[in-house]
Amino acid sequence: AATAEFAAHGYRGASLAAIGARAGVTKGGVYFHFAGKEELFFAVLDHWRDRRRRSLQVQSAGAAGAVAALRGFLTGYLRFHFREPAATHLLRVLATELRGGFTARLREDERQELRWLRANLRELLVLGVRDGTLGVEDAASSAFVLAAVVRGALEQWQSSPDDVETHCDEGQLAAQLVARFATGAASE
């Protein structure tokens, strides 16, 4: 209920009374479990973040190499967000409406989210350099670029889905992104 309300109305537009109504409880019932709207918003973010992170555990490179692991990670990340648009919208609310937010926790939460994504990408890029399937001079910079492209693609998809839907096949998009770094037989 809180995911739907925050996704539909943003943080400022959502109310605990409306969330309670969606959940079939009173506003007091919401307050019984959460001290306020901010705590509930973080609980919702944590729920979706945990679901996504559990589904995206970085796998070992295996016989197919790190290029396949990177492609799989990016495909999974994009798939999660394309299939869970309300959860994806929460990231947009966090990054836009609450960016200059009223608490350090809100700002730090967005930083941690981006750090997690870049760290996973960097780890996979480093593995690819080691196994020879990826050609990267600076894994941290390349992870930054990949994270920016992925988050930008999600932002475009959220803002104007009709304009970009043809470009938002998660497997094809991930393959295009990884192809920029793949070397030799890995790129075939």
Side-chain angles (χ1 to χ4, degrees):
T3 296
E5 186 68 17
F6 286 126
H9 302 286
Y11 182 84
R12 289 181 184 91
S15 73
L16 293 180
I19 291 168
R22 281 183 187 257
V25 299
T26 65
K27 182 177 175 180
V30 176
Y31 272 115
F32 180 78
H33 295 284
F34 300 96
K37 187 161 65 168
E38 183 177 336
E39 184 179 321
L40 179 55
F41 184 76
F42 278 110
V44 170
L45 284 175
D46 289 344
H47 164 77
W48 288 108
R49 181 177 299 118
D50 290 345
R51 275 189 66 184
R52 189 191 60 247
R53 288 182 181 182
R54 277 194 311 271
S55 73
L56 290 175
Q57 296 292 323
V58 173
Q59 304 297 314
S60 66
V67 71
L70 179 58
R71 193 169 30 243
F73 179 82
L74 287 169
T75 298
Y77 187 87
L78 290 164
R79 179 182 300 124
F80 177 86
H81 286 285
F82 290 153
R83 293 186 182 167
E84 298 291 353
T88 303
H89 192 72
L90 293 176
L91 292 178
R92 187 172 184 205
V93 168
L94 182 63
T96 58
E97 184 180 346
L98 301 176
R99 171 158 285 160
F102 47 88
T103 69
R105 183 175 178 196
L106 285 169
R107 290 187 298 277
E108 186 58 27
D109 201 69
E110 173 65 3
R111 285 186 200 114
Q112 289 301 325
E113 186 63 28
L114 289 170
R115 286 177 185 146
W116 173 85
L117 178 59
R118 288 190 307 262
N120 280 283
L121 293 170
R122 185 177 57 246
E123 178 183 340
L124 290 164
L125 290 165
V126 167
L127 289 173
V129 169
R130 285 187 193 140
D131 73 9
T133 59
L134 295 169
V136 176
E137 289 185 30
D138 182 348
S141 291
S142 296
F144 170 80
V145 169
L146 277 173
V149 170
V150 167
R151 292 293 292 263
L154 292 173
E155 175 62 30
Q156 289 184 61
W157 176 73
Q158 282 278 306
S159 297
S160 54
D162 293 339
D163 295 344
V164 299
E165 193 67 38
T166 59
H167 307 291
C168 291
D169 175 277
E170 62 265 7
Q172 289 177 353
L173 186 54
Q176 288 175 338
L177 293 172
V178 173
R180 310 278 190 253
F181 300 103
T183 61
S187 63
E188 296 172 357

